Amino acid sequence: MKSETIRIPGVHYTLKQLLDMDRVPVPGNPGETRWNNRYCQVETTYWNIADTVVDPERVKEERERLRLERNARDRKRYAEKKAAEQARREKEQERIAAIERLNTYVKKCWAVSAEPIKNETGIVSVAVETTGLDGYDELLRVAAVDGDERLLIDVMIKPRYVDYWRDAYEVNQISRADVADAPYLADVAAKIKGILLSGHVITYNSWFTEAYLDVPGMEIDGVKEHIDGYTGLAEISEQYGIPYSSVNTVDKAIATLRVYKIIST
């Protein structure tokens, strides 16, 4: 950094500093851009004190110009702040409306009569995949096995409202193309409900599963709640030598059942 590009205290002054001394730059002098210190933190326009004059009338004009510019900046910042606040309010209102709309739809789906099935084991181990973890996310896949690991259901579900789940895709590998021709929840709710009511429901994380399978009358038990400390299904399955696949929902349901049987004995 050349030394001449750095402001020299006592020699170079900003316009505001000059006005405080009742001085202004000579007409036609645009000043020069310099760093305010040797650390090159801020570039500012400075004038050499030798290139300034005492001119009360111009000092008055410049002060008024700066005042008007400052007021204009303040108004702009205020307007931008108000616009940002309004945008946040509208976004939050849209989020709440989306959640309420989805909740109404899901509640209506689960209100259908259950399709009865025969499940002599009295156990249903279920695993689900979703578009995310928020209140407006939806089911993508539901898989369940009975207490003897017989498959009860494995169905892809097309979201009714959500059409983008990039983050969730990184975990479950379910794309929009995978569910493009899949049924909506309303089309399979009766069957899923019948399965969930056919026995005691086992899942790994009960609060998560129940948030998406909120079937009235369902008895659900979370495996994770019986394990000291936080452990994912993958880790606990490996600990017990149980096969596990992070992208196979049926495997998750079976692994959950096997872990449940081990910790229940």
Side-chain angles (χ1 to χ4, degrees):
M1 176 61 61
K2 295 181 179 179
S3 60
E4 59 265 25
T5 62
I6 303 174
R7 176 183 72 93
I8 302 175
V11 175
H12 299 112
Y13 295 86
T14 65
L15 180 58
K16 185 177 183 304
Q17 290 171 332
L18 291 175
L19 294 177
D20 289 341
M21 295 186 292
D22 292 327
R23 302 184 71 88
V24 291
V26 296
N29 187 338
E32 56 184 345
T33 301
R34 288 176 174 264
W35 297 106
N36 65 347
N37 57 49
R38 65 188 179 88
Y39 299 106
C40 306
Q41 294 173 320
V42 179
E43 276 190 318
T44 307
T45 301
Y46 291 95
W47 283 266
N48 191 308
I49 190 67
D51 297 326
T52 65
V53 295
V54 175
D55 188 332
E57 188 62 29
R58 284 188 55 212
V59 166
K60 181 179 179 181
E61 292 174 356
E62 287 296 325
R63 285 174 174 165
E64 179 63 14
R65 181 179 66 82
L66 293 181
R67 185 186 70 81
L68 294 176
E69 289 180 352
R70 182 174 61 253
N71 289 346
R73 288 195 302 270
D74 290 344
R75 286 193 297 270
K76 182 180 179 181
R77 282 195 294 266
Y78 178 77
E80 291 173 345
K81 181 180 179 181
K82 295 293 289 184
E85 291 175 350
Q86 179 63 24
R88 283 194 293 271
R89 284 194 296 269
E90 291 176 355
K91 186 175 181 179
E92 178 62 13
Q93 290 171 354
E94 291 175 359
R95 187 185 72 84
I96 293 174
I99 292 175
E100 292 177 346
R101 179 182 60 185
L102 178 60
N103 286 343
T104 299
Y105 168 71
V106 171
K107 186 176 181 180
K108 183 178 179 180
C109 289
W110 295 131
V112 299
S113 298
E115 292 183 8
I117 70 161
K118 187 176 182 179
N119 179 4
E120 296 179 351
T121 68
I123 292 178
V124 178
S125 181
V126 63
V128 301
E129 306 294 349
T130 69
T131 60
L133 303 175
D134 292 317
Y136 46 78
D137 282 303
E138 299 184 58
L139 286 166
L140 287 174
R141 187 177 181 180
V142 176
V145 297
D146 67 13
D148 291 329
E149 299 184 9
R150 288 187 291 262
L151 185 65
L152 297 174
I153 192 171
D154 180 19
V155 61
M156 291 283 193
I157 298 174
K158 184 176 182 178
R160 181 67 178 82
Y161 300 108
V162 179
D163 59 4
Y164 180 79
W165 54 89
R166 178 179 177 181
D167 292 341
Y169 172 77
E170 297 298 325
V171 178
N172 56 43
Q173 295 294 294
I174 299 176
S175 67
R176 285 184 289 180
D178 293 330
V179 297
D181 298 321
Y184 289 110
L185 176 60
D187 301 320
V188 293
K191 183 175 182 179
I192 295 174
K193 184 175 182 178
I195 292 170
L196 296 176
L197 295 179
S198 71
H200 186 69
V201 177
I202 306 301
T203 187
Y204 188 72
N205 192 331
S206 61
W207 70 263
F208 175 75
T209 303
E210 195 169 17
Y212 296 93
L213 299 177
D214 190 15
V215 175
M218 177 180 65
E219 296 180 2
I220 188 167
D221 195 8
V223 172
K224 190 168 74 71
E225 283 77 51
H226 299 280
I227 300 174
D228 293 334
Y230 177 79
T231 304
L233 181 57
E235 289 75 19
I236 196 68
S237 296
E238 182 179 4
Q239 178 181 334
Y240 291 127
I242 298 172
Y244 172 84
S245 171
S246 62
V247 295
N248 188 314
T249 315
V250 175
D251 284 354
K252 288 182 179 180
I254 293 174
T256 297
L257 176 64
R258 292 181 179 181
V259 172
Y260 175 77
K261 288 182 176 180
I262 291 173
I263 65 176
S264 298
T265 57

